[in-house]
Amino acid sequence: MPPPPAPGQPSGAAPELSLSFGAGKAPTTAAPAPPRGVSAPTSPAKSRESLLQRVQSLTGAARDQGASILGAAVQSATQRAPTFNKDKYFTLLVLDDQNTDWSKYFRGRRLHGDFDIRVEQAEFRDITVVSSADTGPVVTMAAYRSGTRVARSFRPDFVLIRQPPRDGSSDFRSTILGLKYGGVPSINSLHSIYQFQDKPWVFSHLLQLQRRLGRDGFPLIEQTFFPNPRDLVSEH
C-alpha cells in the first residue's frame, strides 16, 4: 500500500524518486556536452609539430626567394660588366701600396672613344725598369700566383706615382731615372718627383725666390743646413 501523499500535494501527482549510493554523497549528474562549434583542445605535441612545419615552410620560401634575388643580381652584374678590348688599350702603371685599389676608378673608362685603360699597380720594390732610346721602357713586375712568385713584363703608357721613391731604408731613384729615360709621362711629373726627394734641395730653391721677392714678400722659416748629424751635435 503506497504511503499517503504529503500535505499540500495533489492526490494524483506521482512522488519524486531519487537513488542514493552511499550516505552523505551528492547525486551523480552527467557532464554537460560542449556547445556546437567548439572543438576539443589540441595536444601540445601536435601544436609543436604544426608550428615546426610552418617555420620550415617559411624558411624554405625565404631561402628560395633569396637565391632568386642573388642569381638575378649576379646575372645583371655579368651582363653590365664592360668587356676588355685586348687590341685597343693603354697601360697605366700605378706606383702605390695595396691599401687603395686603383683599378676600380678606371674600370669601364675609355680614351679616344674605344681604347680601354689597363691598370697595373705595384710598389717601387716590386718592379724594375729597363729603358731603350728607341723602344722606350719595359717594366718587369713581380706577381704572386698560387703562392708562387711570377715575373711579367709590359710597356707603360702613363705613370701615376702615389708613393715616395725614397725612404729611410730604400732608394728607388733608379726607377724614376728609367721612366724618365724612356719618356713616359706621369703625374706628378717625373722631374718634380726627382727634384723633391731632398728637402735641402727644395728649400734652396725657396731661398732663391725669397732673395728675388724679399723677406716680406716671400717669408720663410729660418733653417740651418748640416751635412751630417755629427755636425749638428757639435754645434750645440
Side-chain angles (χ1 to χ4, degrees):
M1 180 176 181
Q9 183 178 4
S11 58
E16 294 182 358
L17 299 177
S18 63
L19 298 177
S20 178
F21 299 93
K25 291 185 179 181
T28 304
T29 58
R36 290 186 176 182
V38 179
S39 60
T42 308
S43 65
K46 291 185 178 180
S47 298
R48 289 194 297 269
E49 182 179 358
S50 177
L51 179 60
L52 180 60
Q53 290 177 353
R54 292 183 60 188
V55 171
Q56 291 177 346
S57 177
L58 293 175
T59 304
R63 182 177 62 249
D64 295 340
Q65 184 178 6
S68 177
I69 295 175
L70 180 60
V74 172
Q75 183 179 5
S76 177
T78 304
Q79 292 176 353
R80 295 180 181 179
T83 57
F84 183 76
N85 191 342
K86 296 182 179 180
D87 297 326
K88 293 183 178 181
Y89 65 89
F90 291 103
T91 301
L92 170 64
L93 172 61
V94 180
L95 293 175
D96 196 4
D97 55 32
Q98 300 301 321
N99 292 326
T100 303
D101 182 11
W102 286 93
S103 62
K104 66 180 182 180
Y105 296 102
F106 297 93
R107 189 175 295 120
R109 306 292 182 178
R110 292 188 175 184
L111 296 175
H112 306 298
D114 56 351
F115 281 81
D116 291 326
I117 302 176
R118 174 187 175 186
V119 178
E120 296 285 356
Q121 182 172 342
E123 299 185 43
F124 273 105
R125 62 184 180 183
D126 296 328
I127 66 171
T128 57
V129 180
V130 177
S131 292
S132 170
D134 297 329
T135 60
V138 175
V139 176
T140 301
M141 181 172 66
Y144 290 90
R145 296 178 181 176
S146 302
T148 305
R149 186 182 176 94
V150 179
R152 56 192 181 90
S153 301
F154 57 90
R155 298 182 183 275
D157 298 295
F158 200 89
V159 182
L160 174 61
I161 300 178
R162 302 291 298 175
Q163 191 179 36
R166 190 173 64 175
D167 55 24
S169 58
S170 303
D171 187 352
F172 300 104
R173 283 181 293 180
S174 60
T175 301
I176 302 297
L177 294 175
L179 294 173
K180 183 67 175 179
Y181 193 90
V184 183
S186 70
I187 294 180
N188 291 330
S189 67
L190 296 174
H191 178 80
S192 65
I193 291 174
Y194 191 86
Q195 293 288 336
F196 274 76
Q197 291 182 99
D198 298 298
K199 292 183 178 180
W201 184 263
V202 175
F203 194 78
S204 65
H205 285 77
L206 296 178
L207 288 175
Q208 292 180 2
L209 293 176
Q210 186 185 65
R211 296 187 186 102
R212 185 191 312 166
L213 302 175
R215 291 180 177 270
D216 295 335
F218 195 79
L220 293 173
I221 299 176
E222 293 186 3
Q223 299 183 17
T224 302
F225 173 76
F226 293 95
N228 53 66
R230 292 191 300 273
D231 293 337
L232 176 61
V233 174
S234 61
E235 181 71 16
H236 293 280

